């Protein structure tokens, strides 16, 4: 999977599926990371086992993903978390060519359901958090 757009679409679809599952089961979102390999294999990374702040979870995920990104097979990653009110999630996607995307996906919450509104995804340029900068 060499195309950035294809990589990010695959990661976003997995983010929506996995986050909706968490929202359906517990109305909460545990911060998580994803890796995508060159043969389209996906791995989920969780930072569990401690009660820390979201920023601590994100730091742990970032460090775990950096280690994974050292493997030449890993071509793209994502870090995902919900804001404290769970009104949206943020996903930071990047690939080994340093293309980066920040996606903001709103959450619709009613008494009956709590789901992502994937039709209203907003995107903007992202930052490099996991992969080394090209040329380094």
């Amino acid at each position: 999977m060499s195309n950035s757009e294809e990589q990010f679409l695959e990661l976003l679809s997995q983010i929506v599926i996995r986050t909706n599952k968490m929202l359906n089961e517990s109305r909460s979102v545990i911060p998580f990371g994803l890796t995508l390999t060159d043969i389209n294999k996906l791995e989920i990374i969780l930072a569990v086992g401690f009660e820390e702040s979201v920023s601590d979870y994100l730091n742990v995920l970032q460090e775990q993903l950096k280690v994974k990104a050292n493997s030449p097979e890993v071509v793209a990653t994502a870090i995902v978390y919900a804001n404290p009110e769970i009104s949206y999630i943020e996903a930071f996607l990047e690939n080994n060519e340093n293309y980066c995307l920040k996606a903001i996906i709103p959450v619709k919450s009613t008494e009956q359901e709590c789901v992502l509104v994937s039709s209203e995804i907003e995107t903007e340029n992202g930052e490099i958090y996991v992969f080394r900068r090209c040329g380094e």
Side-chain angles (χ1 to χ4, degrees), residues 21-129:
K21 185 174 181 178
M22 283 186 232
L23 290 169
N24 285 333
E25 291 175 359
S26 66
R27 290 187 169 264
S28 65
V29 177
I30 298 169
F32 66 96
L34 296 172
T35 63
L36 183 66
T37 69
D38 55 355
I39 59 169
N40 207 25
K41 182 179 174 192
L42 194 82
E43 180 180 5
I44 188 166
I45 311 293
L46 297 174
V48 294
F50 58 94
E51 294 294 323
E52 304 291 335
S53 68
V54 171
S55 65
D56 289 335
Y57 275 108
L58 297 178
N59 288 335
V60 169
L61 286 172
Q62 181 181 8
E63 291 307 313
Q64 290 177 335
L65 288 170
K66 282 182 177 182
V67 170
K68 299 275 185 188
N70 284 326
S71 168
E73 292 85 24
V74 174
V75 295
T77 64
I79 297 173
V80 182
Y81 72 97
N83 73 320
E85 298 81 31
I86 311 179
S87 60
Y88 63 89
I89 66 152
E90 288 188 350
F92 298 91
L93 293 77
E94 64 183 276
N95 72 5
N96 58 356
E97 296 176 343
N98 293 149
Y99 289 105
C100 305
L101 178 75
K102 176 182 174 183
I104 301 164
I105 310 171
V107 175
K108 176 185 172 188
S109 185
T110 66
E111 283 186 30
Q112 292 80 27
E113 67 178 357
C114 191
V115 296
L116 293 177
V117 185
S118 56
S119 62
E120 295 180 16
I121 291 176
E122 294 180 20
T123 61
E124 57 189 59
N125 290 332
E127 298 290 328
I128 297 171
Y129 293 106

